[in-house]
Amino acid sequence: MKLGFIGIGLMGQPMTQRLLQAGFEVRVWNRSPDKLAVVKGAGAIEAASIAELVEQVDLVLLCLANTAVVEEVVFGAGGVVGHGRAGQLLVDFSSSDPEATRAFAARLQAACGMGWVDSPVSGGVAGAEAGTLAIMCGGEAADIARIRPVLAPLSQRVTHMGPVGAGQVTKVCNQMIVGCNLMVLAEMMALAKACGVAADRIPEALAGGFADSRPMQLTGPLMAAESDPDPLWHVRTLLKDLDMAVAQSQRAGSATPMSGLAAQLMRQHGSLGYLERDPATLIKLYKR
C-alpha cells in the first residue's frame, strides 16, 4: 500500500519515520513545509499539494491538531474530498469530536466513495518513537483488517471499538483519565512540597503501587522540580480533549463532574499563558 501522511508534527514525524523504516512508501504534506526536513531525509516524498498526495496513494493518514483542522484538510479548498475515490481509506489518528467524525465520514463517503477509520492514539511522543502506541479504532471490520499492517509498526495494540466514531469516544475516555490524573498529580506535588516532603522521590516511592501511572513517572519528576520543559505535549491539547468529554457527556446524558472541573482548572492555567506549555507546568497553578 502506498501511504500519504498529512500532519508532520510532534506525533506525525516519528510515526512517519517508523512507517518508512517498515518499508512503506510514504508521501507527506504539511501546512508548514519546513517541518518536513527530517522525514524527507528518511525517505518520505513531499507532495506539492493535498490533491497530489491523495491521487497517488491508497491510504490517507491524518494526524492533526483538532476537529476544525481535520475538517479544513478534508473538506476545505483543495482538500481530500475533491480528489478521493472509492477504494481509498482515510485513517484519522487525530483526537477529534466523535459526532463530527461520524458526520465527516458520511459526508466523505457520499461525496467520493472514500471510507473512513478513526484511529486516535495514546502513548505520546515516546510511544510514537518506540512504536508502542495504543490505537483505538472505529469503522468497518474489513477496513480495520486492511490497515492493520500499516498500524503494526506504530503500535503495541490495536483495538476495534465499534463503528466510525467509536475510536474517538474511546480516546475521550482515555483523556478523561489522563487529564484528571495530571490535575491531581499537580495538586498532590504542591501539597507534598508545602509539607516539606522530598517531592522528587514520590514517583520512586509510589512506583508499582495503586497510585502509580505513566504520568506519575514521566511528568511527576518535572512537576516536583517545578520545571517548564520544552513541550512533548501541550496544555491546550488536554483542555481540548476534556472539553470534548464534557460535550459528549451532554449528548449522552452521562455526568462528568470531575472532567468538567479538571477542564475549568486547566482553562484557568491556560489563561495565564500556559496553553502552549507542557502539562508539567500545572503545578504552578497551585504554587501561585
Side-chain angles (χ1 to χ4, degrees):
M1 286 182 284
K2 294 181 179 180
L3 312 181
F5 206 115
I6 300 174
I8 311 301
L10 286 174
M11 295 291 289
Q13 179 178 303
M15 292 169 76
T16 298
Q17 288 176 283
R18 289 200 61 86
L19 291 169
L20 291 165
Q21 290 164 6
F24 288 102
E25 178 182 299
V26 186
R27 283 175 167 76
V28 292
W29 184 89
N30 199 65
R31 288 186 296 177
S32 303
D34 57 296
K35 293 185 177 180
L36 297 177
V38 172
V39 294
K40 285 169 64 178
I45 304 165
E46 182 179 3
S49 64
I50 293 175
E52 179 184 301
L53 180 145
V54 174
E55 288 166 358
Q56 297 181 15
V57 302
D58 303 301
L59 301 184
V60 176
L61 314 175
L62 307 183
C63 193
L64 301 170
N66 54 48
T67 308
V69 179
V70 171
E71 183 173 22
E72 175 62 25
V73 165
V74 178
F75 300 107
V80 173
V81 68
H83 309 277
R85 59 187 182 274
Q88 279 183 311
L89 282 176
L90 184 147
V91 181
D92 186 17
F93 295 122
S94 319
S95 296
S96 300
D97 181 84
E99 290 303 308
T101 293
R102 294 186 182 108
F104 293 165
R107 186 176 165 189
L108 186 66
Q109 179 73 42
C112 65
M114 191 173 182
W116 190 298
V117 178
D118 51 304
S119 299
V121 304
S122 181
V125 174
E129 291 172 343
T132 57
L133 295 170
I135 303 182
M136 45 219 84
C137 293
E140 297 292 331
D143 290 340
I144 292 163
R146 178 180 168 190
I147 67 172
R148 280 186 182 272
V150 175
L151 302 183
L154 307 175
S155 62
Q156 60 174 311
R157 182 173 56 261
V158 175
T159 310
H160 183 192
M161 299 304 299
V164 170
Q168 297 295 356
V169 173
T170 308
K171 181 59 186 289
V172 164
C173 294
N174 181 88
Q175 295 303 86
M176 290 168 69
I177 296 170
V178 172
C180 291
N181 190 0
L182 283 167
M183 193 58 69
V184 80
L185 274 178
E187 185 176 307
M188 173 275 294
M189 282 292 182
L191 175 63
K193 292 171 77 71
C195 295
V197 170
D200 60 315
R201 301 197 67 182
I202 285 179
E204 174 190 351
L206 303 187
F210 279 7
D212 197 14
S213 65
R214 285 180 61 82
M216 169 74 80
Q217 297 304 324
L218 295 175
T219 307
L222 298 173
M223 287 183 173
E226 299 182 37
S227 63
D228 185 358
D230 289 338
L232 289 179
W233 51 338
H234 298 94
V235 169
R236 64 169 163 76
T237 302
L238 274 174
L239 176 57
K240 176 260 296 182
D241 292 341
L242 287 169
D243 282 342
M244 284 199 301
V246 174
Q248 192 66 20
S249 77
Q250 292 170 343
R251 297 179 189 124
S254 180
T256 51
M258 294 183 69
S259 296
L261 176 57
Q264 292 306 318
L265 289 169
M266 207 163 291
R267 182 169 287 105
Q268 180 183 1
H269 185 59
S271 73
L272 298 171
Y274 290 99
L275 280 176
E276 299 299 323
R277 304 311 303 161
D278 191 280
T281 60
L282 284 166
I283 191 172
K284 298 180 186 296
L285 186 63
Y286 294 92
K287 295 288 289 182
R288 212 166 268 114

